[in-house]
Amino acid sequence: MDDLSRSQNLSSQNCNLFMDTAVISDNKPVSEKSEIACVISKAFNIAAKDHIKLELTSIIVGIILLVFSIFLLILGGVGVIDLAAGLIGIVVLACIGAFIILYGLFIHKPDEISMLSKVYVVSHLIPYKPGSALLFDGTGIIPEQVMEYKDIPLAKIKELSSKLPSSPISYKNETALVDILDQIKQLTGKIKKYQFKAPVVPNSNLYVNAVLDSLPYCVKGAPLRNPLGTKISIQDAVQYRQEIERLEEGKEAIDTMNEVKNTITHKSKPFIDNLIKCLNDIDSYISNIAELLRERFINGFNIHADPKADAEYGYEYVNSKYHIKVGSSENKNISNPINTFQRVIDYFDESIRREIGRIRKDGERRIKERKERAESEERLIRQNYDLQIESKKSEKSTYEKQAENAYREYRSSYNQYKSYLEEARRARSGEYPDYEKAQHYEEMAQYYKMQADEYYSQYEDAESRAEALENIINKLESRKKREIKQIRDKASRDIASIKEEIKNEILDLRKFINEIIEKRNTQIEMFEKIYNTLLSSEKELQSAPFNNRKNTIMELQSSIFSVLDDRIKERSKVLQQIGSFKINIDMQKPTSIYIPFWIIIVKRKKGPETIIFPPLKIIHPSETSKSRWKFVEFTAPLSNALEKFTDYLKTDWIINEAKTASILGKIDHQVASEIDRLVSRGFFGQGYADRIKKYYGLIPVGGEK
């Protein structure tokens, strides 16, 4: 079955579901008149809340003023106050109270409800793959989903990739490979852009939850009138579903593109590997030539030997780019220019070797003597300061013991003082006070107080002396460290100076040898520069054809892969989008779902206020009311998703369309009996119900008691 016939078959089997009323009680929809009674009651409560509050307040305040006026009148009648003088005030208070009551009851009115309309939001739930469905917005209240990608002639590309040669390895096959890759590259440049827009709802959108939450309360059929109409029909939704299904076949295109990439990689690899092998062979060839040239000129010398191995000749002071170990020129070909230089250098190195040893030995002796002198000076300073520090520490220890003893005596005397004071307090405050004994205790307490003060003075004096000695000890320690550091620094500078003298003596001794070394190095550098330049040019010349061929294949391959990767990424994004549309629900046929909402507009002083009721459920509040002033909230949104969904409806075009279906002035008088039923359930009193009826014209104006 082709797409058209399949689409017609699906659309011919569609069904309609709708919520007959927007109010649910005990999991069942209420009657239409009961629904209207609930909605207009809630709407009146919103419009009249401030008025009722003002009315109640004005009655209370007015009654208080009237009662107070009567009370003043009574007081004047019995002569408590001057009746003639206060009569005007009493009359004024009574008039104010009466005016406040009249204003609250008759002058101030509830805010006007200018619109009260019921609208239906239409959505289409279309079966997709087994166990899933797609939801489409039939009212046009959310933005369309955009799916876009670019396409290339994939069938032709796949056909060409299958013709790529892979073996045998030959220049002819390599040329054919490059030619086909170039044709594939040209085809990847033939890009067509596709963009598809659909009013499909992502499964993460609260729209989906709102629709699913309403399904258990729906019945078969459709509303007789819907002011918002249907922007997208169920036949349109089925067509969108077919196009989305076609887009999901893009997974096969992704598999094909990956297959093409693998084929190109597999067919190109032997040729690229062969060219890399050729380049490696050229590298090896050039390296062998370089080794032969070095052997011929340098004759096997290691020109980068470790200078530390020839420290006995003073080479640690020679700053040279190259170093050849002393004595390595033996048994070398005399015709070699490097060998000629090295024999001369080795000869003179041996001639100064003994003198260098003498210079080093003398320098080491001087360094040793300087270190010993520094150690002796440091030892004397330590001995001098350590004697002074030990003496001060001993003296400090004596004062610390004196302070400890004095503090102990102070605590003992102070405790005696506190004890005698307590005894004196008891002697004076007993049932039979003994003032003589109390006086004796007080004298003893005074004695121990003086003694404690004396000991505390001794304690403070000893502590002060110990602290002063601690400061002296710290200063001596600091001075000792400073003088020792000065000795060490001076010794370090002297030793560094001796080492510099040794270095200069050795360099002076080696001066003419180092000049020969520089001449030798000039020859080595010249040779290296010549053969490196020649070999580098030769290598570049030999490698260029192979590099060009390798780079051509790899650049073509990279260019093709770049386009294929972009297309794979775009297709994967579309597939991911489609995955986000699927809802886990098993649907047998396309279904249109109508969800009712009530839109109310209240005229406020600051401007019109729009209130939208989602489908509601009647709850059982914990309190009841029989008052003409109190309204007990008796409904709640059917679900959180449906409540939040009302934000989508607060748009100008929806409000304008809803105005055509306002029921104001068209409410059936039989709704009045449904309002009385709400009274019997304790949601508000009969007086409040009469207000509602009067407000909507369900009873004559004079009918309210």
Side-chain angles (χ1 to χ4, degrees):
M1 185 184 296
D2 60 17
D3 285 348
L4 180 60
S5 60
R6 182 167 49 182
S7 171
Q8 291 172 345
N9 185 43
L10 276 171
S11 61
S12 64
Q13 299 176 10
N14 65 72
C15 72
N16 295 320
L17 296 176
F18 80 116
M19 290 183 68
D20 192 14
T21 64
V23 179
I24 304 297
S25 178
D26 297 328
N27 292 324
K28 296 179 181 178
V30 301
S31 66
E32 181 183 1
K33 290 182 174 55
S34 181
E35 173 193 16
I36 294 174
C38 292
V39 171
I40 66 175
S41 299
K42 285 176 62 67
F44 174 78
N45 178 58
I46 293 170
K49 185 178 292 184
D50 293 341
H51 165 72
I52 292 173
K53 189 182 296 182
L54 176 63
E55 179 183 293
L56 185 59
T57 303
S58 64
I59 291 173
I60 293 171
V61 173
I63 290 173
I64 291 172
L65 290 175
L66 289 174
V67 170
F68 187 63
S69 301
I70 295 170
F71 178 69
L72 291 178
L73 189 61
I74 293 171
L75 291 178
V78 298
V80 176
I81 62 172
D82 186 356
L83 181 60
L87 191 58
I88 295 176
I90 292 170
V91 172
V92 170
L93 284 175
C95 290
I96 293 173
F99 175 75
I100 290 175
I101 292 173
L102 290 172
Y103 178 79
L105 287 174
F106 302 107
I107 300 174
H108 187 272
K109 299 296 181 182
D111 291 333
E112 179 188 352
I113 296 176
S114 62
M115 186 184 84
L116 187 62
S117 301
K118 183 179 181 181
V119 300
Y120 282 88
V121 171
V122 187
S123 54
H124 307 299
L125 200 55
I126 310 298
Y128 193 58
K129 300 294 176 63
S132 67
L134 302 178
L135 182 67
F136 293 89
D137 171 25
T139 306
I141 60 177
I142 65 170
E144 290 184 316
Q145 297 296 311
V146 180
M147 289 159 276
E148 54 186 5
Y149 64 95
K150 301 182 186 73
D151 213 350
I152 53 177
L154 200 54
K156 184 64 177 175
I157 289 174
K158 183 179 179 182
E159 181 186 349
L160 282 174
S161 67
S162 65
K163 297 178 180 179
L164 288 168
S166 58
S167 63
I169 303 300
S170 65
Y171 185 71
K172 179 181 178 181
N173 281 345
E174 182 186 321
T175 303
L177 176 82
V178 171
D179 182 58
I180 295 174
L181 287 178
D182 188 58
Q183 292 180 51
I184 293 174
K185 179 186 174 183
Q186 300 303 321
L187 287 174
T188 58
K190 296 179 179 180
I191 296 175
K192 293 182 180 180
K193 295 182 179 180
Y194 291 92
Q195 186 183 72
F196 174 64
K197 295 181 180 180
V200 61
V201 183
N203 56 29
S204 60
N205 195 298
L206 64 88
Y207 193 135
V208 173
N209 290 331
V211 172
L212 296 181
D213 290 345
S214 67
L215 277 179
Y217 308 100
C218 289
V219 296
K220 287 187 177 181
L224 297 176
R225 182 166 182 246
N226 180 18
L228 301 185
T230 302
K231 304 295 186 294
I232 304 296
S233 69
I234 195 166
Q235 289 80 10
D236 294 334
V238 171
Q239 290 293 336
Y240 281 125
R241 180 257 190 207
Q242 302 295 342
E243 184 63 23
I244 290 172
E245 187 176 28
R246 188 191 67 77
L247 286 176
E248 198 168 24
E249 294 173 358
K251 187 177 184 304
E252 297 178 4
I254 293 175
D255 294 339
T256 301
M257 285 186 276
N258 282 320
E259 183 183 341
V260 168
K261 285 178 63 179
N262 291 334
T263 301
I264 291 174
T265 301
H266 177 71
K267 295 292 183 71
S268 302
K269 189 176 184 303
F271 294 95
I272 294 173
D273 289 346
N274 182 62
L275 292 169
I276 291 173
K277 181 179 179 300
C278 293
L279 290 170
N280 290 337
D281 290 343
I282 292 171
D283 284 346
S284 178
Y285 167 70
I286 296 298
S287 296
N288 291 336
I289 292 177
E291 191 61 34
L292 289 172
L293 288 174
R294 286 173 62 85
E295 178 67 26
R296 181 68 188 92
F297 184 78
I298 301 176
N299 203 21
F301 282 114
N302 177 14
I303 61 175
H304 297 291
D306 186 4
K308 294 178 182 177
D310 290 324
E312 58 184 318
Y313 301 98
Y315 272 101
E316 72 268 35
Y317 302 122
V318 178
N319 185 18
S320 175
K321 183 178 180 180
Y322 308 103
H323 177 67
I324 299 175
K325 187 168 180 5
V326 176
S328 60
S329 59
E330 296 179 2
N331 301 320
K332 301 295 179 183
N333 189 347
I334 194 65
S335 64
N336 187 294
I338 301 302
N339 189 38
T340 304
F341 276 107
Q342 198 57 37
R343 283 180 177 275
V344 174
I345 293 167
D346 288 353
Y347 173 79
F348 285 113
D349 275 337
E350 288 295 337
S351 68
I352 64 171
R353 179 180 181 184
R354 183 173 297 177
E355 181 62 20
I356 289 175
R358 183 195 65 75
I359 292 171
R360 288 185 187 279
K361 187 174 181 180
D362 181 62
E364 289 170 359
R365 176 186 58 76
R366 291 168 61 196
I367 290 171
K368 181 180 178 182
E369 289 175 354
R370 185 63 188 89
K371 286 181 178 179
E372 290 174 349
R373 187 167 77 252
E375 290 171 357
S376 176
E377 292 173 357
E378 183 179 333
R379 192 162 48 249
L380 288 173
I381 288 173
R382 286 186 183 278
Q383 289 173 356
N384 180 33
Y385 279 103
D386 287 348
L387 287 173
Q388 296 181 58
I389 291 169
E390 286 301 319
S391 173
K392 297 299 179 184
K393 283 183 177 179
S394 177
E395 192 175 348
K396 176 193 170 190
S397 177
T398 301
Y399 282 120
E400 285 175 343
K401 288 179 180 178
Q402 289 178 4
E404 183 181 350
N405 292 335
Y407 188 76
R408 187 166 56 249
E409 292 297 333
Y410 155 72
R411 291 303 304 172
S412 176
S413 297
Y414 184 76
N415 290 337
Q416 288 290 339
Y417 158 70
K418 296 291 287 183
S419 177
Y420 278 113
L421 272 185
E422 179 64 21
E423 292 294 336
R425 186 190 64 77
R426 290 178 181 175
R428 287 183 183 279
S429 62
E431 187 177 354
Y432 304 101
D434 188 342
Y435 295 104
E436 183 179 349
K437 185 181 288 187
Q439 185 178 0
H440 169 70
Y441 287 147
E442 287 171 352
E443 289 174 355
M444 291 300 293
Q446 188 62 31
Y447 167 75
Y448 280 110
K449 176 69 167 62
M450 293 172 61
Q451 197 175 54
D453 290 344
E454 175 64 25
Y455 282 128
Y456 195 77
S457 177
Q458 293 176 12
Y459 161 73
E460 287 183 326
D461 181 64
E463 276 287 306
S464 176
R465 291 175 182 272
E467 187 176 347
L469 286 169
E470 179 65 26
N471 291 334
I472 293 172
I473 291 169
N474 289 338
K475 288 179 181 179
L476 289 172
E477 288 282 4
S478 297
R479 197 181 304 163
K480 180 180 76 172
K481 290 178 181 178
R482 185 169 61 252
E483 292 185 13
I484 289 174
K485 185 177 182 303
Q486 289 173 353
I487 290 172
R488 289 178 177 177
D489 291 345
K490 178 68 167 59
S492 295
R493 289 194 297 272
D494 291 345
I495 291 171
S497 179
I498 294 170
K499 288 180 178 179
E500 188 65 23
E501 290 177 12
I502 295 171
K503 175 183 174 182
N504 291 334
E505 284 188 52
I506 292 175
L507 286 176
D508 287 342
L509 193 62
R510 290 193 54 86
K511 185 175 181 181
F512 72 98
I513 302 176
N514 290 343
E515 290 175 356
I516 300 173
I517 288 173
E518 287 302 317
K519 289 184 173 67
R520 180 202 66 189
N521 290 350
T522 301
Q523 294 292 320
I524 295 174
E525 285 181 350
M526 188 184 302
F527 165 74
E528 286 197 326
K529 185 176 181 180
I530 292 171
Y531 88 78
N532 282 337
T533 302
L534 290 174
L535 293 179
S536 177
S537 299
E538 181 65 17
K539 180 180 177 181
E540 185 177 347
L541 185 63
Q542 296 281 356
S543 302
F546 298 98
N547 264 325
N548 291 338
R549 288 158 59 188
K550 175 177 73 72
N551 291 339
T552 298
I553 297 172
M554 295 184 71
E555 285 171 6
L556 285 169
Q557 181 176 288
S558 176
S559 178
I560 294 167
F561 286 2
S562 176
V563 174
L564 291 176
D565 288 338
D566 287 344
R567 301 295 79 77
I568 289 171
K569 186 176 180 181
E570 289 166 359
R571 287 282 192 159
S572 298
K573 183 180 177 181
V574 170
L575 292 176
Q576 189 176 3
Q577 274 186 285
I578 294 172
S580 71
F581 302 151
K582 297 177 185 177
I583 304 170
N584 294 326
I585 185 172
D586 194 10
M587 296 293 295
Q588 300 302 320
K589 60 179 67 176
T591 304
S592 296
I593 301 164
Y594 298 82
I595 306 174
F597 293 84
W598 282 90
I599 302 178
I600 299 99
I601 296 180
V602 180
K603 289 184 178 180
R604 305 286 194 191
K605 289 181 180 179
K606 59 184 178 181
E609 178 186 359
T610 302
I611 301 101
I612 301 178
F613 292 155
L616 303 170
K617 59 183 176 182
I618 295 179
I619 60 176
H620 301 284
S622 58
E623 57 179 337
T624 59
S625 171
K626 295 184 179 181
S627 169
R628 67 179 279 112
W629 290 292
K630 185 176 181 182
F631 177 91
V632 176
E633 181 57 62
F634 61 92
T635 64
L638 197 57
S639 73
N640 290 333
L642 284 165
E643 182 181 23
K644 293 177 181 177
F645 187 83
T646 58
D647 292 338
Y648 287 128
L649 306 181
K650 294 177 181 178
T651 58
D652 291 341
W653 79 267
I654 287 180
I655 302 300
N656 291 332
E657 293 293 331
K659 287 179 180 178
T660 62
S662 179
I663 66 170
L664 290 176
K666 306 173 186 176
I667 301 174
D668 193 326
H669 280 68
Q670 294 180 9
V671 173
S673 61
E674 295 298 329
I675 295 174
D676 291 336
R677 290 179 183 273
L678 299 178
V679 173
S680 66
R681 298 183 69 172
F683 299 149
F684 41 79
Q686 187 61 50
Y688 197 96
D690 291 341
R691 290 173 183 270
I692 297 172
K693 297 173 190 176
K694 177 182 174 182
Y695 185 84
Y696 292 106
L698 300 180
I699 58 175
V701 175
E704 183 184 1
K705 297 180 182 180

